[in-house]
Amino acid sequence: MKRNSISARRVASRDERSASKELIAAARTARSRAYAPYSGFRVGAAILTRRGGVHVGCNIENASYGAAMCAERCAVAAMVASGDCDPIACAVVIAGTAPAAPCGICRQVLAEFAGDMKLILLAEDERGRVVARKAARLRELLPQPFRLGGFGH
């Protein structure tokens, strides 16, 4: 079976700056594939794992709104399906004037696999130029994720 060159690609360099650039490029490509006929809000996400894997996802809307899937959760699904499960960074790219942070459900799903990780949040204009960028940590956005077994586990 041929693997998707974006979703299973290894990061060529361990240099954090070049890894971030590759992660952003992968999220940007995923965003171009989003299915958003109802809102027009297209989102791309890319997750970098400790092993160097880059796994992408895009949002997929549905006429039954509750069945929609966020880009971040799609990227997590691609990561798990590839046999990887140790994310260290996630880039999220949208079109707009301000970056968008992952929703609460996506934060919880990311926290299932990482107690903390770097988040790179970008907003681009209609020409694909970055108009706003924000760096955050998952632990900042979700300081007390739900864990089976009680508080603090």
Side-chain angles (χ1 to χ4, degrees):
M1 171 190 259
K2 185 177 178 183
R3 298 180 105 183
N4 179 322
S5 63
I6 295 172
S7 65
R9 183 173 33 190
R10 297 282 177 212
V11 176
S13 171
R14 293 286 180 207
D15 175 71
E16 187 175 334
R17 187 173 185 176
S18 64
S20 291
K21 284 183 179 182
E22 183 170 352
L23 199 59
I24 291 165
R28 186 175 286 131
T29 299
R31 182 182 166 272
S32 72
R33 298 175 180 159
Y35 179 73
Y38 306 106
S39 72
F41 188 69
R42 301 165 67 87
V43 182
I47 292 176
L48 173 65
T49 65
R50 195 164 310 283
R51 291 194 289 177
V54 174
H55 307 279
V56 301
C58 59
N59 61 315
I60 304 168
E61 294 181 347
N62 189 282
S64 172
Y65 291 121
M69 296 181 292
C70 296
E72 299 90 336
R73 284 184 283 144
C74 288
V76 168
M79 175 189 71
V80 172
S82 78
D84 208 347
C85 62
D86 193 9
I88 59 172
C90 180
V92 179
V93 178
I94 66 157
T97 57
C103 73
I105 293 172
C106 288
R107 293 174 195 192
Q108 179 64 43
V109 170
L110 290 167
E112 180 74 17
F113 295 94
D116 194 21
M117 68 168 52
K118 177 180 179 178
L119 300 173
I120 305 165
L121 311 172
L122 273 84
E124 297 181 331
D125 66 14
E126 62 280 346
R127 293 185 181 168
R129 293 180 298 208
V130 175
V131 295
R133 178 184 178 130
K134 181 177 180 175
R137 302 292 307 183
L138 179 60
R139 190 172 299 272
E140 295 169 355
L141 299 180
L142 187 66
Q144 296 179 340
F146 176 80
R147 302 274 186 230
L148 289 178
F151 184 75
H153 289 87

